[in-house]
Structures are given as structure tokens and as C-alpha cells.
Amino acid sequence: MRGTGMDATLDFAFQAAAQGFAKGRPTTNLGTFFATDDYYTTTHSSVYAEPTFLGNHDMGRIGYLLGGGSGSEELLTRSELAHSLMLLTRGQPVIYYGDEQGFAGSGGDKDARQDMFATRVDQYAGEQLVDGTVAGSTDRYDTDSALYQHIAELSQLRATYSACPPAPRSSCTPRTPRACTPSPAWTATRR
């Protein structure tokens, strides 16, 4: 951000950190990632304005990126974890259509464009959702699906509590847990 004049960019670094976290990589990677937040904060921009995402039409869906197209209860849990991180931390979350329905896809960009209506594409109909069930050829607007419900609950938390997303951190590492509290400047503006 510094030296570019842009107010915000797509936060690809967040996507990589969130994907790694949901795959079970060390949490210290998240601490290292969030420690770079200041780079995105200038007099005209803030890391809190960065659009955060887990997948998109250029890279594929988070369900595929986490599980390679083989759905399971574990993949559903990992996808929920990734969505929790995106919705409960800084940034402006962007959910790729269909992720809330459990779409995983079978690869990158061209294999991540499933129909929300009952599909006529055999490839899409035969794909597994993140929970392991076969997508089939049915409309996908299920407000009772597990991932939809999870995202809805997180969205409600975010809307209800001003602490979501959390306050800026001065740093957050396992060796300095007290540093995972709001910075003094942020706290002073909230009084």
C-alpha cells in the first residue's frame, strides 16, 4: 500500500495465511502475517478496509484448496475454521458465491464456477460438496446448510459486537500473549 496511492487491495496474503491456518500449519504463521498489518495502514488507507477472501473465480474455492475436491466432515470443519478467521478478524470479508452452500469444485478457476440453479453440467453434478455429499442437480439456495448457518452466525456476531473484528494488535506471538490486546491508540479512540 505504501507508495501506491491505492486505498485498498485484494488481500491475497490473508488468503494464503487463512488457508495455511485452516490446513493446520503453525499459528505462528498467523502472528507473522498479522505483524505486517502496519504496512497497509497509511494516512489515507487502513488494513481494516482490505477485502479479505478465501477463494475466488481466479484461484478456485477454499473447499478445493483445503481438501482437493474430496469432501468430508473434517473438510467442513476446516472450511468453517477458515470462514471464522475471515469473518472475525480485520478486513472486509468477501464470500465467493456458492461457498456458503459447500461448493468445493474440482480445481482452479474454470472448475469453480458451479451453477446455483440445478446444474445441467455433469461435471458439477458429480462433484462432492465440502461435507462429502454429492452436489447433484438441484437448486442450491439452502439456508439450512451447515456452512450457510455457520457464516450467518459469524455475520451476526460481526454486526452485533463492535469488537468484531478485533482491535488492532501491536503484535501477536506465542511469546508475547499480552501483546494480543488492543493497542493504546485504538483503545483511546473507543472511550
Side-chain angles (χ1 to χ4, degrees):
M1 293 295 291
R2 296 182 186 272
T4 68
M6 293 188 283
D7 293 335
T9 59
L10 290 175
D11 200 341
F12 279 89
F14 173 85
Q15 191 284 332
Q19 180 181 329
F21 176 68
K23 280 186 168 185
R25 294 198 179 119
T27 56
T28 53
N29 293 355
L30 279 180
T32 301
F33 164 72
F34 284 122
T36 65
D37 277 356
D38 188 51
Y39 182 76
Y40 297 92
T41 304
T42 67
T43 56
H44 69 279
S45 65
S46 169
V47 72
Y48 290 85
E50 293 288 294
T52 55
F53 64 96
L54 299 172
N56 63 32
H57 66 278
D58 287 328
M59 66 182 0
R61 298 182 178 282
I62 189 63
Y64 181 80
L65 298 171
L66 292 174
S70 297
S72 65
E73 283 299 315
E74 179 183 348
L75 179 57
L76 173 61
T77 300
R78 289 184 183 280
S79 185
E80 288 175 341
L81 179 62
H83 282 89
S84 296
L85 184 66
M86 180 175 67
L87 283 149
L88 299 177
T89 58
R90 93 297 187 272
Q92 302 301 312
V94 179
I95 299 170
Y96 185 37
Y97 86 95
D99 282 358
E100 79 287 354
Q101 297 299 316
F103 289 175
S106 59
D109 63 341
K110 294 178 184 168
D111 292 320
R113 299 179 182 184
Q114 295 84 342
D115 301 318
M116 296 291 286
F117 297 111
T119 188
R120 294 182 181 171
V121 178
D122 290 339
Q123 175 187 336
Y124 294 157
E127 291 175 351
Q128 288 187 2
L129 301 175
V130 295
D131 67 1
T133 60
V134 176
S137 182
T138 184
D139 289 346
R140 292 287 172 185
Y141 300 99
D142 184 4
T143 58
D144 292 323
S145 73
L147 201 47
Y148 184 100
Q149 287 294 313
H150 183 74
I151 291 169
E153 290 170 6
L154 294 170
S155 297
Q156 186 62 47
L157 276 173
R158 188 176 172 101
T160 302
Y161 299 101
S162 62
C164 292
R169 293 175 256 296
S170 53
S171 67
C172 188
T173 67
R175 290 187 173 83
T176 58
R178 289 185 179 192
C180 294
T181 57
S183 67
W186 187 87
T187 304
T189 63
R190 299 299 189 258
R191 289 187 180 143

